[in-house]
Amino acid sequence: MKDLTDPRHTAKRDGPQVLDAARLFRDHAEFVANFAVRLGVGRPEVDDVVQEVFLVAHRRGGFVPGAARPTTWLAEITLRVVSAGRRRLRRSREDADTEAVAAATAQGGSSPGEQAETSEALRRVQQALDTLEEGKRAVFILFELEGESCEAIAAGLGIPIGTVYSRLHKARKQFMEAHARLVAGPPRPLARSQTVTS
């Protein structure tokens, strides 16, 4: 089997150096997996989504540096793979495994109570993200959680910069409203009047 890291197998083009799928995988597989989870992909399907994303990246000939960054370019592919998977399967999305995310992010020295609080906070964030429409969610995650610039998001997703700003504004508002509802908890029933009318 050929070694895909061999420079002879790296796509060559005039101009900027192309990042091939193998290099992209080594550098950004964890990003793609986390982005897929934040888009609502269940843990059992994450490996398949990651594999499909890098197959698409390979078919496209790798990443050519430009206005987009590798992460925003891969996010666009991930968004399309996830959307196609949802259309193809026509089934309800499983809840993201927030306990696994919490366990991965929990510090080794934290108490069980702190771990439970972290897990609950991550569950609320994921639930609030789940209320966002897919396009808004992708922009929100890339900007707020991954720290990408609006220009890089626009280039990576292939949408106008104004659309990025609009989606980000609406997503922030919807996310904050949904998160506030989740933090407040379910509405309490009104107390019935104990007066009897005759």
Side-chain angles (χ1 to χ4, degrees):
M1 184 169 156
K2 294 181 181 178
D3 180 12
L4 294 179
T5 60
D6 186 326
R8 295 174 293 171
H9 298 288
T10 302
K12 299 226 188 290
R13 294 183 183 162
D14 294 336
Q17 180 63 36
V18 174
L19 298 178
D20 67 356
R23 171 74 185 271
L24 288 167
F25 181 82
R26 284 192 306 276
D27 294 349
H28 303 292
E30 184 177 351
F31 164 81
V32 170
N34 289 331
F35 188 66
V37 168
R38 289 176 178 151
L39 288 176
V41 174
R43 283 287 176 186
E45 291 88 25
V46 168
D47 288 340
D48 292 336
V49 168
V50 170
Q51 181 180 12
E52 182 64 25
V53 166
F54 288 101
L55 284 172
V56 171
H58 175 71
R59 285 193 294 265
R60 289 186 182 180
F63 172 74
V64 179
R69 295 182 50 196
T71 50
T72 55
W73 186 74
L74 289 168
E76 182 267 337
I77 296 172
T78 306
L79 185 60
R80 292 183 189 281
V81 167
V82 169
S83 295
R86 286 186 180 140
R87 284 191 304 270
R88 191 172 48 248
L89 296 176
R90 295 184 188 273
R91 63 180 171 83
S92 64
R93 173 182 30 166
E94 294 179 20
D95 289 339
D97 186 359
T98 54
E99 290 177 328
V101 174
T105 59
Q107 298 177 3
S110 59
S111 71
E114 289 170 336
Q115 290 177 1
E117 287 176 17
T118 300
S119 178
E120 181 62 22
L122 286 171
R123 185 190 61 76
R124 283 192 302 266
V125 168
Q126 185 63 49
Q127 285 182 318
L129 285 173
D130 289 345
T131 66
L132 301 177
E133 175 268 322
E134 204 168 68
K136 291 176 191 164
R137 186 187 323 183
V139 169
F140 182 85
I141 290 168
L142 288 170
F143 186 84
E144 296 292 347
L145 304 179
E146 298 298 335
E148 297 290 349
S149 71
C150 288
E151 293 79 13
I153 294 169
L157 297 180
I159 58 177
I161 189 80
T163 302
V164 172
Y165 290 130
S166 174
R167 287 181 185 176
L168 182 59
H169 174 76
K170 290 174 184 174
R172 281 176 171 162
K173 183 178 179 184
Q174 290 174 356
F175 177 85
M176 294 303 288
E177 289 170 356
H179 192 262
R181 282 192 307 270
L182 292 166
V183 168
R188 295 183 183 147
L190 299 174
R192 290 187 168 205
S193 173
Q194 295 185 356
T195 59
V196 179
T197 58
S198 17

